[in-house]
Amino acid sequence: MALTFQTVIGLEIHVQLATKSKLFCACSTDYIGARPNSNVCPVCLGQPGSLPVVNGRAVELAVMVGLALGSTVQQATRFHRKNYFYPDLSKDYQISQYDLPICAGGRLSFRDDDGVEVSVAITRAHLEEDAGKLVHPSADGRLAGARYSLVDYNRSGVPLLEIVSEPDITSPAHARRYTEEIRRLVRCLGVSDGDMESGSLRVDANISQKVSDGRWGSRVEIKNMNSLRSLERALEYEVKRQRKVLGEGGEIRQETRHWDDGEGKTRPMRGKEEAHDYRYFPDPDLPPLIVESDRLKGIAAVMPELPWQAESRLVSAYGLSDDDAKIFAESADTVAYLDGCIRAGADPKRAANWIRTEVLRVLNEQKIDLATFTLEASDLASLLALVDGGKLSTTAAKDVFDVMVRDGVALEPAMTASGVTAGLVEGSQLEDIADKILAENEEAVEAVRSGRDPKGKKVKFLQGLIMRETRGQADVAQVEDLLRRRLI
Amino acid sequence: MAVGEKEVRHVAQLARLEVDDGEVAALVEHFNTILGHFERLKEVDTSSVADVLDNAVVTPWRDDEVRIWENRDEALAQAPDRDGDYFRVPQILEEA
Amino acid sequence: MELFECSAADLARAVREGAHSVAEIVEVHLGRMDRLEPVLSAIVTPLKDEARARAAALDIALARGENPGPLTGVPVIVKDNFCTRRIRTTCSSRMLENWIPPYDATVVSYLERAGAVLIGKANMDEFAMGSSTEHSAFFTTSNPWDPSRVPGGSSGGSAASCAAGYAPLTFGSDTGGSIRQPAAFCGIYGFKPTYGMVSRYGVVPFASSLDQIGPFARTLEDLLLAMEVIAEADEKDATCSRALRPDFRKALDVTDLKGKRVGLVREFEGYDIDGPIVDALARARAALLDAGATVVDVSLPTVSHGLACYYIIAPAEASSNLARFDGVRYGLSAEADSLIDLYHRTRKAGFGPEVKRRLLTGTYVLSSGYYDAYYNKALKVVAILRDEFARAFGEADVILAPTTPTLPFRKGENIGDPIKMYMSDLFTLPANMAGLPALSLNGGYSDGLPVGIQLIGPRWGEMEIFSAAAVLEKALGAPRLAGGDL
Ligand SMILES: [Mg+2]
Ligand SMILES: [Zn+2]
């Protein structure tokens, strides 16, 4: 009988917390593009005698994630030292949490690409400090072959929250979705920018196979996946590799493998084979970390709406489609903008539609976010009110919208600038426009009058020109009526 | 538990502390003497001590404020090997 | 009376009143150092130019009518594990022989703020691991009462230099007795405050959960003056208390101990203690009774396990604290073609044999499979010992005990036998493990050698100790200046 396999994946996600200063010192966390070893002090440089002091904001951000994941936020926790020698570690130990993580347990649920509900248990989320950065000036920038390496401690001590899942994930696609959900969560909470490319969200995966004949493949750890796409590709590659080996009766080595995005392969990592003995022990420089219940309540009280909460509210309260709701819930800012429009009187569906198509288009084009977008939600609402009241056609409204955004002006001046007035173009104004169009298109007029337009194509053409000239602000029935009278 | 050469060498590797063949014998003896003293701790009944998390002192929470340290050049000046603003280390090879 | 015989309080007063310039005071103390240093070898780095420049600046400030602080013009010496910006800080190790810290320890800046003049950095056992200064990588300090003997350690240079009059106030760190044992051997006051009383920021650690910084002095008043300067909150040390400190010098007004209970530890009686120390304890006990105190027996059943716990916990923490000496960022760095060789060679060349022994022991007790049997077990035994102390301090206000089992031993006497050397910490290390304040004071002399005794107080019970010490100083006299016949 042919063997079947079951994939078992657990993820460890390191999220850089969006604090201004580092976890244990007052140096700036803003290391991207900074001069090497400029955001440093005795603490993060591991100078003898220096001591760590905890950044309370980092603790709060960790607690927010814990509350969102339904974790138990532990009142009394502590920091341990994880001891190993490496040059990016300025003290040759990392301050992390071990037996008492700040967040214990929890769960993250989401729908997969087929709409099926998936639920992943969270083991823990703990605070720890980031390491510095190594630069390998070898020909190809890799560790292998570099005669020496350079160390920059600007990143040393940046706060990380390591979120560890149970091995509940059953496919590479689900691993990707889980990571997307974590990213959406940390962004919505304002806890991290969640950017994988720049390394503020880093995923390590543990993957193994259970075989139908009762065998279990060893667990393999995969590192260096710098995007959602490479995460999914790396895991797909690894599923195939492990199944092939096991299918041929071979064994999977327990090891750490490195994903090579260019080659599309995972490879055993060099130099990491030594069995680690981290000699964890409680950091004697840091007394127990206590999150008092008042403090916890205070954090819970200011928790923003979570993406999945927003998603279901947008469906139930505003009648948005599941797809629309999901797009909005991607960012708390977009939800707030939509809420603002509706609060100012806009119709929910029309507002959602406009934000999706027009607002997000502009944000994309200008590469900005809603925080720097000039058009207030209430201004958009008053524009949409004109459309709803039949006073402005969609076409005219879009012109006005563009002017409002371009010039950063309110509704009235934008309408003046784009030559649009509220209400229908009718009566003599419409007649003047019609006459001007007919005069400019004598050929078509002649054809209609002489009965050479049996299918009414030319009439439609003229009608279209009139509508365009009025920026859609004419009533179609009136235009048809007027044309009929003029062309007899 | 008796400690032998193998354990001493393993611990020296963990501590990144090269020991000469000549030093190993003395260290084995020292280890066994001192660990012998430690054995007596087994006599103490510690079953009543649940957790050693001592809450008498708690860790203070620092405000999230950036402060720039002015002496970084003095710290870099102490680097045994440098390349501009970087500390420099010899090649990171596989370990034995 | 020569200026180097004066107390810090007297010197500060003389400066304030304009009787002596700071320059004059500093010059006299530098002269004393120059004269005795060939015999004592207490100082790793003398700071003559720096001290003279500082003295001149202080004299100018004083002439302008400024009063820089309570220690203005007082020469001080700190142990060479206190970081001093632009001044090398060696920990008496080859590893840091040429290291110039880019920052000051908090205690150093507090001293500077108070107007003190730093005139030197004192010798010590390498990275504070030892009880004799024989483990200094540079030289052994001599006992100023008998140069053939050790001054104790690890803060031996600080103790010897204070006793011999290089400076009226010197400072050290105490992990298992490293202030009190050398104070006893040199015949002066040496105080280890409650854990969390004084900031450890910038003092190169040995064992972070046990280390505490404290002063050496030849009068109780000076000791308390020093405490008022260094015992302050520090936001850079999470283990340093935010609470207000008492007005320590109030203890000087204490004349009787009516209603106070002095505890004697029953378990300490079984130990082999040198006769003169037993006699000194008896004299102290009589003086305390005379002052109206009562004497009670207290019991610390677990105290005999203290030594084992100490020699597990301290090396374990040290193995992690000293990992950073790897040749990358500062200090010694060996020639190497690969990173792993850099680590091994640097640490082999940089650390002396005692440090190596302890780092290896510490690594072993934390390593996989042994953590529970050793480190965790020791922490639990210490928790029991803390409870026993808490109970004892329900029955007594202060404990009277020996500082050391022996008088100062001869150089070389214990160097070949680490375990025997470790035994000299027997009576001092329980206070470190329980985080308690403890003072060593001089209890008399025997054949020209000082005899130390110890007072241990409850957590934050500094004033209990100082009150008893005030009575004892009145009854037994203040320590004498050492080095008179050198
Ligand atoms: Mg981690
Ligand atoms: Zn820093």
Side-chain angles (χ1 to χ4, degrees), chain B residues 15 20 44 46 71 74 91, chain C residues 85 100 102 339 347-348 377:
Chain B
D20 290 340
V44 187
T46 50
N71 310 349
E74 289 175 41
Q91 55 190 332
Chain C
R85 188 175 169 206
I100 298 168
L339 182 70
R347 293 164 66 76
K348 178 188 167 71
K377 179 75 178 180

Side-chain angles (χ1 to χ4, degrees), chain C residues 45-121:
Chain C
T45 309
L47 300 171
K48 294 183 184 177
D49 295 343
E50 294 84 347
R52 285 176 180 132
R54 167 98 169 127
L58 283 168
D59 280 327
I60 291 168
L62 285 158
R64 267 197 244 110
E66 294 167 24
N67 177 10
L71 292 180
T72 299
V74 175
V76 298
I77 290 167
V78 298
K79 188 174 181 176
D80 208 20
N81 58 350
F82 288 42
C83 285
T84 42
R85 188 175 169 206
R86 299 201 182 104
I87 294 169
R88 76 170 182 155
T89 297
T90 67
C91 296
S92 289
S93 178
R94 294 282 169 222
M95 187 63 90
L96 293 179
E97 192 166 1
N98 299 307
W99 181 52
I100 298 168
Y103 77 114
D104 277 324
T106 293
V107 170
V108 169
S109 49
Y110 286 173
L111 286 169
E112 178 149 343
R113 196 177 63 187
V117 182
L118 184 64
I119 65 166
K121 304 215 49 198

Side-chain angles (χ1 to χ4, degrees), chain A residues 302-346:
Chain A
V302 299
M303 283 281 282
E305 184 178 42
L306 302 177
W308 44 87
Q309 289 168 342
E311 209 175 308
S312 64
R313 179 172 64 86
L314 297 185
V315 172
S316 63
Y318 298 155
L320 262 52
S321 70
D322 286 350
D323 281 352
D324 270 0
K326 187 165 178 256
I327 289 167
F328 274 91
E330 199 58 48
S331 133
D333 285 351
T334 331
V335 174
Y337 197 81
L338 176 64
D339 285 338
C341 280
I342 295 169
R343 224 178 301 117

Side-chain angles (χ1 to χ4, degrees), chain A residues 25 27 41 44:
Chain A
C25 63
C27 292
C41 76
C44 55

Side-chain angles (χ1 to χ4, degrees), chain C residues 17-42:
Chain C
E17 289 166 359
H20 294 287
S21 69
V22 179
E24 192 183 347
I25 290 170
V26 164
E27 217 49 57
V28 168
H29 285 86
L30 291 175
R32 177 73 173 172
M33 186 194 291
D34 268 348
R35 202 162 70 72
L36 293 187
E37 197 48 11
V39 183
L40 295 186
S41 305

Side-chain angles (χ1 to χ4, degrees), chain B residues 18-37:
Chain B
E18 191 176 302
V19 289
D20 290 340
D21 293 347
E23 293 172 292
V24 173
L27 282 168
V28 168
E29 196 191 321
H30 176 74
F31 259 83
N32 285 307
T33 311
I34 197 157
L35 294 178
H37 282 83

Side-chain angles (χ1 to χ4, degrees), chain A residues 208-277:
Chain A
S208 58
Q209 297 292 324
K210 190 182 173 186
V211 194
S212 54
D213 61 7
R215 284 182 298 153
W216 272 96
S218 294
R219 206 178 56 166
V220 174
E221 188 178 5
I222 317 285
K223 285 182 180 289
N224 194 44
M225 299 159 294
N226 298 325
S227 65
L228 288 168
R229 194 174 127 70
S230 55
L231 169 69
E232 196 169 356
R233 281 177 68 207
L235 291 175
E236 278 165 356
Y237 174 86
E238 196 57 23
V239 168
K240 274 195 209 122
R241 186 187 73 84
Q242 293 186 6
R243 288 185 175 178
K244 183 161 186 283
V245 172
L246 291 166
E248 290 164 354
E251 271 190 42
I252 300 294
R253 258 163 61 116
Q254 185 176 337
E255 63 184 350
T256 300
R257 296 174 74 90
H258 185 93
W259 167 249
D260 185 326
D261 210 47
E263 298 260 311
K265 281 182 182 158
T266 67
R267 285 210 194 91
M269 260 168 105
R270 288 155 56 88
K272 289 275 177 181
E273 297 311 317
E274 180 198 26
H276 284 299
D277 184 346

Side-chain angles (χ1 to χ4, degrees), chain A residues 14 126 128 162:
Chain A
H14 286 83
H126 66 257
E128 62 183 27
E162 181 175 339

